[in-house]
Amino acid sequence: MTLDVETPERPALSTGVAADEYDDAEVQGDEYRREELAEALDAGAWENAFEKWAADASLDADQWAIVTDLDLIEEFDFFWDSFAGRVGYHAPGLPEDWREREIHPDIDSWGTVSGINAGLTEFGQVVCEVLADEYIDWEAEEVGADDLPDF
């Protein structure tokens, strides 16, 4: 379904957070290139990605209202993962204890919570794809065999 809403302001990328501190990201290295990514987002990647995502978004207008009420978009972070040669991201999400914390009056089911979390994850992935496909042309750093992680 199409989500017909205005494009939100892009997040201020978290320059004070090491990307490997996020539970949902595994990043090697510490050269995150957030300033360059912010420039690409400002040059149109953010708006293009939002329009692409919103054209087929899994969120409805009521769920989007919750996202905006809670300023969840501001919690997104995008960064360069030099080891993997890709743009990585941290997507915000609603906590498992949403009911106990009463974080928003319109959150009334796990379906709402999981739908919002999934939609925001999908959006983060679309932003990364748009950045990689249309705005940046960076290569992964050459890594020697001795520098590979143990699997």
Side-chain angles (χ1 to χ4, degrees), residues 11-15 17-27 32 34 37 41 46 71-81 86-95 117 119-128 131:
L13 305 185
S14 299
T15 57
V17 177
D20 61 353
E21 291 180 25
Y22 294 123
D23 291 337
D24 60 350
E26 291 183 32
V27 180
Y32 303 129
R34 286 182 172 120
L37 289 172
L41 291 170
W46 181 256
D71 292 324
L72 293 177
I73 296 299
E74 184 57 36
E75 295 179 32
F76 266 103
D77 191 14
F78 298 93
F79 46 83
W80 177 247
D81 181 348
R86 66 177 177 85
V87 178
Y89 70 100
H90 165 72
L94 299 173
N117 289 348
L120 293 176
T121 299
E122 292 165 1
F123 176 53
Q125 186 60 43
V126 171
V127 172
C128 290
L131 282 165

Side-chain angles (χ1 to χ4, degrees), residues 32-44:
Y32 303 129
R33 301 177 88 161
R34 286 182 172 120
E35 288 182 19
E36 293 165 279
L37 289 172
E39 290 172 8
L41 291 170
D42 289 340

Side-chain angles (χ1 to χ4, degrees), residues 1 24 88 127 129 139:
M1 83 182 110
D24 60 350
V127 172
E129 290 169 4
E139 298 295 325

Side-chain angles (χ1 to χ4, degrees), residues 55-88:
D56 194 32
S58 60
L59 297 184
D60 62 26
D62 292 337
Q63 291 170 317
W64 183 252
I66 294 168
V67 168
T68 57
D69 287 350
L70 296 175
D71 292 324
L72 293 177
I73 296 299
E74 184 57 36
E75 295 179 32
F76 266 103
D77 191 14
F78 298 93
F79 46 83
W80 177 247
D81 181 348
S82 60
F83 183 78
R86 66 177 177 85
V87 178

Side-chain angles (χ1 to χ4, degrees), residues 99-127:
R99 191 179 313 263
E100 293 82 15
R101 293 176 49 190
E102 299 178 7
I103 59 175
H104 194 281
D106 294 335
I107 299 175
D108 57 2
S109 72
W110 274 107
T112 299
V113 171
S114 62
I116 289 171
N117 289 348
L120 293 176
T121 299
E122 292 165 1
F123 176 53
Q125 186 60 43
V126 171
V127 172

